[in-house]
């Protein structure tokens, strides 16, 4: 069944909804033109019963607060992360307004980019897996900062950003479920380091991954790399 694009009105203006970026358990994210600017507008899903949907959406509306906390602590998040009121199919609704990844001044890879990275990924210039540790040094610093702050995130919240100067960083997005626990630094470092190393496979191009595997890039090597990230 084809998804029908919703009608959005903001400050009395009917907005052009271009397409759907994606949908998950709590939200659908739309590609929208707002005042001449492209925005990623997240609206609540309607598949759940109303009580469950409202509870999920209440959590989603906390995401801008979390984004501000992470940004203020030097971590990389969407520069626009706002709650706005719009009419969605005639109903007044609080939505989340963000910048689409394509509008950011750096490249973001969210681990679901198999078609984009099949031939040429952001780390395709690496000939050997032994070069990975230095290539992801910026990510290691972000892991330590998250753990120091006691921030617990779901795996889907962790993406990668590649800055114009070549630096690789964590890009933190879809912050539903973020928790600040405060006293589990070592455990958080281990969790994020293993997660990051596993997610690297999603941004290798096909030939690169096969080359790494021929070089011996196996489970044991991945575990060692994860440990080295937090030393």
């Amino acid at each position: 069944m084809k998804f029908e694009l919703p009608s959005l009105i903001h400050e009395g203006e009917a907005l052009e909804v271009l397409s759907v970026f994606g949908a998950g358990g709590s939200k659908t994210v739309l590609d929208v033109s707002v005042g001449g600017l492209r925005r990623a507008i997240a609206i609540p899903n309607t598949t759940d019963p109303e009580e469950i949907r409202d509870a999920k959406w209440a959590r989603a509306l906390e995401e801008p607060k979390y984004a501000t906390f992470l940004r203020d602590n030097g971590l990389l998040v969407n520069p626009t992360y706002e709650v706005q009121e719009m009419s969605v199919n005639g109903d007044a609704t609080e939505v989340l307004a963000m910048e689409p990844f394509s509008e950011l001044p750096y490249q973001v890879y969210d681990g679901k980019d198999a078609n984009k990275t099949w031939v040429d990924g952001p780390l395709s210039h690496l000939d050997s897996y032994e070069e990975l540790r230095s290539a992801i040094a910026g990510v290691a610093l972000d892991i330590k900062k998250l753990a120091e702050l006691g921030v617990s995130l779901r795996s889907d919240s962790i993406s990668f950003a590649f800055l114009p100067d070549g630096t690789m960083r964590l890009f933190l997005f879809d912050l539903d479920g973020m928790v600040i626990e405060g006293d589990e630094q070592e455990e958080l470092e281990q969790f994020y380091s293993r997660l990051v190393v596993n997610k690297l496979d999603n941004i290798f191009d096909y030939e690169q991954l096969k080359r790494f595997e021929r070089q011996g890039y196996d489970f044991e090597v991945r575990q060692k790399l994860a440990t080295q990230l937090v030393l």
Side-chain angles (χ1 to χ4, degrees):
M1 181 178 178
K2 185 177 179 181
F3 178 79
E4 185 174 346
L5 296 176
S7 168
L8 299 185
I9 298 175
H10 180 55
E11 297 181 346
E13 176 187 358
L15 305 180
E16 183 182 7
V17 182
L18 304 170
S19 63
V20 178
F21 280 128
S26 63
K27 63 177 74 78
T28 297
V29 184
L30 307 168
D31 183 5
V32 181
S33 177
V34 183
L37 300 174
R38 284 188 65 196
R39 287 288 181 261
I41 302 296
I43 63 173
N45 277 343
T46 58
T47 53
D48 291 314
E50 183 176 357
E51 184 177 348
I52 295 175
R53 181 190 67 210
D54 290 347
K56 286 183 176 181
W57 194 240
R59 291 197 305 269
L61 292 177
E62 296 290 309
E63 292 185 38
K65 177 182 70 176
Y66 298 145
T68 297
F69 174 80
L70 296 170
R71 187 186 301 113
D72 288 347
N73 280 283
L75 293 159
L76 203 59
V77 297
N78 199 303
T80 300
Y81 222 131
E82 301 171 346
V83 177
Q84 296 182 357
E85 186 166 302
M86 294 186 181
S87 169
V88 179
N89 290 332
D91 295 325
T93 306
E94 287 185 309
V95 305
L96 292 176
M98 300 157 286
E99 292 191 37
F101 290 173
S102 61
E103 300 296 297
L104 300 177
Y106 42 79
Q107 289 185 302
V108 172
Y109 293 82
D110 68 359
K112 304 169 185 174
D113 303 289
N115 291 333
K116 187 164 66 172
T117 62
W118 182 259
V119 174
D120 184 29
L123 294 173
S124 292
H125 59 286
L126 303 182
D127 293 322
S128 168
Y129 74 79
E130 294 179 347
E131 301 173 76
L132 282 171
R133 185 178 179 185
S134 60
I136 62 178
V139 168
L141 294 175
D142 289 336
I143 288 174
K144 286 189 173 296
K145 175 57 71 172
L146 281 172
E148 175 188 314
L149 295 170
V151 172
S152 177
L153 293 165
R154 296 180 300 110
S155 61
D156 285 349
S157 301
I158 306 295
S159 301
F160 300 122
F162 290 82
L163 279 56
D165 66 0
T167 303
M168 180 180 174
R169 297 279 308 276
L170 291 185
F171 181 81
L172 308 174
F173 191 70
D174 193 9
L175 305 175
D176 184 11
M178 175 174 149
V179 176
I180 302 175
E181 297 177 326
D183 59 354
E184 302 291 340
Q185 182 168 345
E186 184 176 346
E187 290 82 355
L188 285 170
E189 284 185 352
Q190 293 173 358
F191 166 73
Y192 287 126
S193 63
R194 291 193 296 266
L195 176 63
V196 161
V197 170
N198 288 335
K199 280 180 172 276
L200 288 177
D201 285 6
N202 296 328
I203 61 172
F204 295 146
D205 69 60
Y206 177 77
E207 291 298 332
Q208 178 183 33
L209 181 58
K210 291 301 180 184
R211 181 170 67 253
F212 284 2
E213 289 174 346
R214 290 194 296 271
Q215 294 169 356
Y217 189 63
D218 55 15
F219 175 78
E220 184 176 343
V221 172
R222 286 173 170 84
Q223 292 295 100
K224 182 179 179 180
L225 177 58
T227 300
Q228 291 173 336
L229 276 180
V230 295
L231 290 179

